[in-house]
Amino acid sequence: MPTVDRLTIRVLVDSSYDQFFRPKQANGVSIVPPVRGADFRKTLHNEWGLSLWLESQAAGTQRTLMLDYAIRPKFLLNNMELTGVDPSKLDALIVSHGHYDHFGGLLAFSTNSATGCVRHQALCRRRG
């Protein structure tokens, strides 16, 4: 298991959100609270399940990972947009285990069989 110098965790989807949560840091791990948008009509969605955006740094190399994807692609994509994360920066997608509330939203990154379009083309590019 590699050791990292720094890890930032951003919750994309969880069963609840604490809008009063303040950033925390301990031993090189930062937990970033959800972003409050300027448009009050757009809000983060929560549901059973989990999705985390992880940014690690080790020996000057940064990696961006996504751990789990909650249940619904619609909720995941909404929250990714509102938190400003960029899927083109992802180095890896991780599924912790085979329960639907941890991988269901992964369909947001799959091919739409009706149109043949990839929903997030940034994930399908070759890395050099």
Side-chain angles (χ1 to χ4, degrees):
M1 184 64 69
T3 302
V4 298
D5 301 319
R6 185 179 59 85
L7 176 65
T8 301
I9 302 169
R10 183 181 309 265
V11 177
L12 296 177
V13 179
D14 199 355
S15 57
S16 67
Y17 283 106
D18 181 352
Q19 69 180 17
F20 302 108
F21 177 77
R22 299 204 184 272
K24 294 185 181 176
Q25 186 165 1
N27 300 324
V29 175
S30 299
I31 302 175
V32 181
V35 176
R36 289 187 192 187
D39 185 350
F40 69 90
R41 294 169 295 180
K42 294 183 178 180
T43 184
L44 293 169
H45 298 310
N46 56 313
E47 67 178 345
W48 191 258
L50 181 67
S51 181
L52 302 175
W53 185 269
L54 310 172
E55 294 173 339
S56 69
Q57 188 167 357
T61 302
Q62 184 168 334
R63 298 277 185 248
T64 304
L65 313 157
M66 202 165 161
L67 172 66
D68 290 344
Y69 313 92
I71 296 176
R72 290 181 259 192
K74 179 179 177 179
F75 282 17
L76 179 59
L77 293 174
N78 174 77
N79 291 3
M80 288 176 73
E81 178 184 342
L82 291 177
T83 58
V85 299
D86 181 358
S88 70
K89 300 209 182 304
L90 283 168
D91 294 300
L93 302 173
I94 304 166
V95 177
S96 66
H97 63 283
H99 290 165
Y100 197 73
D101 61 324
H102 290 261
F103 74 83
L106 188 57
L107 296 173
F109 300 107
S110 68
T111 300
N112 180 331
S113 59
T115 64
C117 295
V118 175
R119 291 190 177 133
H120 260 294
Q121 296 174 357
L123 291 174
C124 300
R125 63 177 167 70
R126 287 189 178 260
R127 296 213 168 219

